[in-house]
Amino acid sequence: MFVCYFEQWFVAECMQILTSVYNLGKSGLPKTAISDDELDRITVCIKVLSDRNEIVNDIFTSKCRDSLTTLLDARLAEDRKKRSAAEKHKSVLTSAQPDDPIRFNQLMAKVEAGSLEDQFELSLSAAVGTLNQKKDAKDPSSTKLDKVYQLTGFSDPVYSETYVHINQYDIVLDVLVVNQTSDTLQNCTVELATLGDLKLVEKPSPITLAPHDFANIRASVKVASTENGIIFGNIVYDIIGAGNDRNCVVLNDIHIDIMDYIQPASCTDEEFRRMWAEFEWENKVSVNTSITNLNDFLQHILQSTNMKCLTNEKALGGDCGFLAANLFAKSIFGESALANLSIEKPANLGPESVVAGHIRIRAKSQGMALSLGDKINFSQKKLKK
């Protein structure tokens, strides 16, 4: 009886201390205000002390400690991995010799695609016999067709298509123009315009096309920010010997993919929460997919958006029916993009039910938040097909 009385007295004393801390934090007297997480923690502790259920006590004293140990071990392993990667990167940076050549991008020669090539590296690779191996490894011949856009139809008098070469802040359009008529086309001009933060730097010059002749025209576009841009325009030309007005062929739109400018990045939990509170533009995307596995859908989103998952892998393990993860990415312009993935599998629909939930995207600019949301919606529609 004395043991039971002492236990009740001790519980009451603990509850009094917790309630005193709770009231002090809410009073506004301390210099540092108490956070909502701390208030929730104190409330849970009071409820556990008042109920004194054996199952709850076991969860609170043993299971929570095991979870905390697992989390700390995972963070320790991640810190070790980052430290080893940083040391490896530092050793690479410090391995430069005094007589190593210095590369100046301004002195590099431009190749046909508009990118830069180091002539010294090319000559050295050719001398040691590795030039063809490097070209085969870097040449994305299997994916080059993905960058080719058909601008006009096959039945139009002038057929046109373009290869879009993206090199960081610049977009080079290599436009093929084919005269499909038996007339000579004079003053044939590709007139382009942009929508979004794109600026046409180099306008194509007028050319003359003989019957069934073709020519390549180049145009340069400057990119200012990470937004979905559109390039549109038309082809105008005169026919020799015809007295009518100038002829015009409208071109199909070229949509610039935002994924070419977004790269995976990492930040701490504190930085993520601070940026989440600061960024004012939010785009909420509902999950509409045919995927039935939570982790598979997470990997699909990471692959579609070029974002990095900040949530630890061990925290994503198991099969509990729901999943929450934080994603982060940065553009080449220094803009940050945050995303919070909250998905679940409804238990009442069975094990083969599809994933449901939503994705919240936050960014400093409206264009980036909307563009990422459009990319996620497009990837979900493409997957359902």
Side-chain angles (χ1 to χ4, degrees), residues 37-95:
D37 294 337
E38 293 167 345
L39 293 177
D40 292 340
R41 181 68 175 178
I42 293 176
T43 305
V44 171
C45 293
I46 294 175
K47 288 183 178 180
V48 170
L49 290 175
S50 61
D51 293 341
R52 282 186 284 174
N53 192 328
E54 293 184 1
I55 299 177
V56 176
N57 289 340
D58 181 62
I59 294 174
F60 201 81
T61 56
S62 301
K63 304 298 182 182
C64 291
R65 182 180 294 273
D66 296 340
S67 300
L68 178 61
T69 304
T70 304
L71 177 63
L72 294 178
D73 293 341
R75 287 191 175 180
L76 183 61
E78 188 175 356
D79 292 341
R80 289 176 180 173
K81 186 177 179 180
K82 289 182 179 179
R83 197 179 300 112
S84 62
E87 291 176 355
K88 185 178 179 181
H89 182 66
K90 184 178 180 181
S91 63
V92 171
L93 293 177
T94 56
S95 63

Side-chain angles (χ1 to χ4, degrees), residues 322-360:
F322 67 91
L323 185 147
N326 293 330
L327 314 180
F328 183 66
K330 266 192 174 183
S331 69
I332 61 175
F333 305 99
E335 300 171 312
S336 299
L338 313 175
N340 176 260
L341 178 72
S342 300
I343 54 178
E344 64 173 351
K345 287 188 64 175
N348 57 338
L349 299 180
E352 298 300 324
S353 60
V354 297
V355 175
H358 59 267
I359 305 168
R360 296 172 63 190

Side-chain angles (χ1 to χ4, degrees), residues 115-182:
S115 60
L116 300 175
E117 283 194 357
D118 193 342
Q119 298 298 322
F120 178 77
E121 287 291 335
L122 290 178
S123 59
L124 181 62
S125 301
V128 299
T130 60
L131 178 61
N132 294 331
Q133 297 177 4
K134 288 186 176 181
K135 282 188 175 182
D136 292 339
K138 292 184 179 180
D139 183 21
S141 57
S142 59
T143 60
K144 273 189 175 181
L145 291 178
D146 296 337
K147 299 294 182 180
V148 176
Y149 295 84
Q150 183 178 344
L151 301 179
T152 62
F154 293 109
S155 60
D156 289 325
V158 179
Y159 173 77
S160 177
E161 66 183 23
T162 182
Y163 173 72
V164 180
H165 177 77
I166 298 176
N167 183 21
Q168 288 190 346
Y169 308 104
D170 299 323
I171 299 176
V172 179
L173 302 179
D174 191 1
V175 185
L176 171 67
V177 181
V178 182
N179 181 10
Q180 300 192 111
T181 66
S182 301

Side-chain angles (χ1 to χ4, degrees), residues 157-158 183-189 191 234-240 242-250:
V158 179
D183 302 318
T184 300
L185 306 184
Q186 203 171 23
N187 294 327
C188 183
T189 307
E191 297 179 346
N234 48 55
I235 298 177
V236 294
Y237 59 91
D238 296 326
I239 299 177
I240 294 181
N244 57 351
D245 296 333
R246 299 199 73 182
N247 298 276
C248 177
V249 179
V250 180

